[in-house]
Amino acid sequence: MGERLNRLLDSPANRAAFTHSPAPVLVWEAAPRERTSPELLWVTNPKIRIDRPSNDPLVYRVEKSSKQNAFGLGITLGRAANNDIVVDDPSVSRFHAYLQLDPQSHVWHLVDAESSTGTFVGGERLAPRRPAPLADRATFTVGHVELRFLTPDSFESFLRTWTRTTPPRGS
């Protein structure tokens, strides 16, 4: 799962882990509130929304996780728990898309993994299995979830300009 932005701001160690990493991040600004009990969705359903959005975005580091998944071509993104980036929304397929870094050009690409609800960059639906370049600060949509792609420098800038909507812990 991603890290809540307020937790990053409250913990210097967590913040440093994100801002001093060479990995870019994805930000889900309209992420739902944290659930008290986990729900497992077996099918993709773009017509339902389980939870209302919170005012606390989720931040995901774009890197392979320690989870076991056999996909070696990139960093997986989807609703299933074995993805590198888990986006818990019913409109997102279990294995929705993946991100790849071109080792020669150092450009990140997003690839739709034949998802049922599609992957969109700049309002254009991606053809399945066709890489599309992701520019810094680009937004893309998986299902009905809009994510922002940020390099480490842009994420630091995002942190400086983001307006906290909840008081810091201990206040």
Side-chain angles (χ1 to χ4, degrees), residues 23-38:
V25 298
L26 301 178
V27 178
W28 181 8
E29 292 184 56
R33 290 181 177 87
E34 290 184 83
R35 293 194 188 137
T36 53
S37 63

Side-chain angles (χ1 to χ4, degrees), residues 6-158:
N6 280 322
R7 284 195 200 116
L8 289 179
L9 295 173
D10 290 343
S11 167
N14 284 351
R15 183 176 179 156
F18 273 80
T19 57
H20 293 104
S21 168
V25 298
L26 301 178
V27 178
W28 181 8
E29 292 184 56
R33 290 181 177 87
E34 290 184 83
R35 293 194 188 137
T36 53
S37 63
E39 275 184 54
L40 180 60
L41 297 172
W42 291 98
V43 295
T44 303
N45 188 341
K47 296 179 181 161
I48 65 170
R49 175 85 184 187
I50 293 177
D51 300 310
R52 303 185 82 178
S54 73
N55 293 323
D56 193 4
L58 277 171
V59 180
Y60 302 92
R61 222 179 314 201
V62 179
E63 62 186 9
K64 287 300 277 180
S65 70
S66 59
K67 299 174 194 167
Q68 293 291 338
N69 77 36
F71 193 79
L73 294 178
I75 297 162
T76 61
L77 186 151
R79 193 180 70 242
N82 67 333
N83 283 288
D84 299 308
I85 298 171
V86 178
V87 179
D88 189 16
D89 186 90
S91 70
V92 175
S93 295
R94 287 177 297 216
F95 172 42
H96 198 104
Y98 56 96
L99 296 115
Q100 295 178 309
L101 177 63
D102 183 307
Q104 293 177 338
S105 67
H106 301 285
V107 172
W108 282 92
H109 290 84
L110 178 65
V111 183
D112 181 77
E114 299 182 2
S115 63
S116 58
T117 55
T119 302
F120 298 80
V121 176
E124 298 290 322
R125 187 174 184 150
L126 300 183
R129 298 186 185 184
R130 293 262 170 101
L134 273 180
D136 184 23
R137 300 174 191 237
T139 57
F140 66 92
T141 306
V142 290
H144 297 302
V145 174
E146 184 178 86
L147 298 165
R148 182 177 309 275
F149 178 82
L150 299 170
T151 62
D153 288 340
S154 293
F155 181 56
E156 188 66 46
S157 175
F158 175 83

